[in-house]
Amino acid sequence: MNEHADRIQVSLAGKLGGFALDVAFDLPMQGITALFGPSGCGKTTILRCMAGLHRLDGHMIVGHDCWQNDDTNLFRAPHKRPVGYVFQEASLFAHLSVRKNLLYGARRAARNGDTRTLHFDDIVTLLEVSHLLDRSPADLSGGERQRVAVGRALLSQPELLLMDEPLSALDRMTKEEILPYFDTLHKELAIPILYVSHDIAEVVQLADRMIVLSEGRKVADGPIVDILERLDLQPATGRFEAGVVLTARVIDQDSKFHLTHLDHHGQSITVPATDVRIGDDVRLRIRARDVALATQRPGAMSIRNIFEGTIVEIREEPGTAFAETLVDIGGGRLRARITREAAADLSLEVGKPVFALVKSISFDGRSVTHKTSGPSV
């Protein structure tokens, strides 16, 4: 019996053309895990191996089922793997209506003898595509096509949903339209999702965990909050968008000034008005480049968010003007990207008390989201 039946265990090594991959990871059978890294680091190759579309040396166990074991020469064919795969392009059948595209996924599950309980009407309701059923894929927007593609994948009754940069071909407004649907999948369905992206904003909004890849190797994995706080991962996670994730509770909505007030372990946070309810927990993404530091509490200034904290790490970047700092604010940490000159001028060192300043306007629509919770079924 597999003593890790609630886990996904993957180990892959080998070459595809000139590209070498050597990774191993272990994931829970729930929630969203992001495969993150720059183009060409191996994200899509891992997904295709998991779907059985490529074969590299290794092993793969999903829950109770072994999909690959080189020791026994076991390699389950793609059509025998209960996987839902959503590609960068929706890849719907152009000659079929939306309804028939969705039913194609259900027929595939029926052919494989699958009797699980993701029903057509439930998926149509979940993804809000009932008004699209009689349309041709050619008459859909990019976001609508991807929702239908997700529905088709779900109706194949997968044990695992693989999503390969499903939003990369969409503009920002369409991304913001469809991201809540992906988050709903996480909350409503007990299906683990492996989500490939090189967009850290998407990862922060959706994922519970992340695996960071570089040149075909895993450089880190773990809860997203922990990974984003690591200054040593900056080359892999990027400088411009580096930052952290905090969870805060909504305490007030200011209709006069269109602001939402939050509490983070006793420290107040003000953001532009957000469609959340008092008492809700929200996830905040705060970029290192949006954080300034002071050694004394400033007064008479426009910046609304002033956090009391303590320096816990400083990492200078040799050959550049910059330094990364990590500030413990109680219940969470902030990263601040400042100049090395500023760090020297302020005599910053580990253990020194500081004030971290964040403008309210730095929180855009993708920086404040409902805290993602686990599956409800």
Side-chain angles (χ1 to χ4, degrees):
M1 178 179 290
N2 176 19
E3 62 183 28
H4 301 292
D6 59 344
R7 311 292 294 177
I8 298 170
Q9 302 167 67
V10 177
S11 176
L12 298 165
K15 286 189 174 182
L16 288 170
F19 179 74
L21 184 74
D22 188 355
V23 297
F25 52 86
D26 183 295
L27 306 173
M29 283 286 288
Q30 61 179 351
I32 300 177
T33 298
L35 282 177
F36 179 80
S39 297
C41 69
K43 303 185 298 293
T44 295
T45 299
I46 291 172
L47 256 61
R48 292 183 67 83
C49 287
M50 294 184 71
L53 302 175
H54 290 326
R55 181 170 184 174
L56 294 178
D57 295 340
H59 73 264
M60 193 177 311
I61 301 173
V62 179
H64 292 283
D65 298 329
C66 184
W67 294 2
Q68 179 177 346
N69 186 340
D70 287 356
D71 293 337
T72 60
N73 199 32
L74 169 66
F75 185 82
R76 187 178 291 189
H79 68 279
K80 293 184 177 180
R81 300 187 183 204
V83 165
Y85 204 133
V86 181
F87 298 89
Q88 294 180 22
E89 299 290 342
S91 302
L92 301 177
F93 297 116
H95 65 291
L96 298 180
S97 67
V98 166
R99 184 190 306 274
K100 291 182 177 179
N101 266 281
L102 292 170
L103 289 173
Y104 179 88
R107 284 197 298 272
R108 175 192 164 192
R111 286 196 301 270
N112 291 336
D114 204 301
T115 58
R116 274 170 292 159
T117 56
L118 292 180
H119 298 298
F120 181 89
D121 289 344
D122 295 334
I123 296 303
V124 166
T125 299
L126 181 69
L127 295 171
E128 298 183 359
V129 294
S130 59
H131 63 295
L132 306 176
L133 293 177
D134 296 323
R135 291 191 193 176
S136 163
D139 298 327
L140 304 180
S141 68
E144 289 169 342
R145 283 194 296 272
Q146 283 298 57
R147 279 154 54 198
V148 174
V150 170
R152 184 175 64 181
L154 290 173
L155 286 168
S156 69
Q157 306 297 332
E159 291 181 12
L160 173 64
L161 188 60
L162 305 176
M163 306 187 81
D164 189 1
E165 301 203 64
L167 305 182
S168 63
L170 305 179
D171 59 45
R172 179 170 176 174
M173 289 184 63
T174 306
K175 286 184 181 182
E176 292 180 0
E177 165 199 318
I178 198 172
L179 273 168
Y181 292 100
F182 288 0
D183 192 38
T184 297
L185 298 180
H186 181 201
K187 294 175 180 177
E188 299 296 330
L189 304 177
I191 300 174
I193 300 173
L194 201 56
Y195 189 96
V196 163
S197 180
H198 63 268
D199 184 337
I200 193 66
E202 283 179 30
V203 170
V204 168
Q205 185 163 343
L206 293 174
D208 310 292
R209 301 177 57 86
M210 66 188 296
I211 299 170
V212 182
L213 300 170
S214 179
E215 298 180 344
R217 302 291 189 273
K218 182 184 75 174
V219 296
D221 71 3
I224 189 168
V225 172
D226 296 342
I227 295 297
L228 292 180
E229 289 179 356
R230 287 181 53 179
L231 303 187
D232 61 308
L233 295 178
Q234 185 161 280
T237 56
R239 292 179 174 85
F240 187 72
E241 292 298 325
V244 300
V245 175
L246 301 179
T247 298
R249 179 153 294 177
V250 180
I251 57 174
D252 183 54
Q253 293 283 14
D254 184 338
S255 59
K256 179 179 179 180
F257 293 109
H258 301 283
L259 297 170
T260 297
H261 297 290
L262 313 170
D263 174 78
H264 175 76
H265 296 271
Q267 303 217 56
S268 61
I269 305 174
T270 299
V271 301
T274 304
D275 186 18
V276 289
R277 297 170 299 182
I278 292 175
D280 282 353
D281 285 338
V282 296
R283 178 182 279 188
L284 299 171
R285 174 172 173 249
I286 302 178
R287 291 169 292 199
R289 63 187 174 93
D290 292 329
V291 180
L293 299 179
T295 54
Q296 297 180 2
R297 178 180 285 276
M301 64 185 306
S302 63
I303 295 179
R304 301 289 88 184
N305 300 306
I306 303 174
F307 300 89
E308 294 185 36
T310 304
I311 298 285
V312 293
E313 187 176 353
I314 301 174
R315 184 178 291 263
E316 294 192 349
E317 299 176 7
T320 77
F322 303 105
E324 287 274 339
T325 63
L326 192 63
V327 181
D328 190 325
I329 59 170
R333 295 180 171 186
L334 290 175
R335 291 175 65 165
R337 183 166 173 79
I338 61 176
T339 65
R340 293 166 63 196
E341 179 188 47
D345 187 51
L346 295 173
S347 300
L348 297 183
E349 60 184 6
V350 173
K352 183 164 187 171
V354 292
F355 296 90
L357 287 61
V358 185
K359 287 185 176 182
S360 296
I361 61 171
S362 67
F363 294 97
D364 58 27
R366 301 180 74 187
S367 300
V368 184
T369 59
H370 278 88
K371 181 184 177 185
T372 304
S373 58
S376 62
V377 294

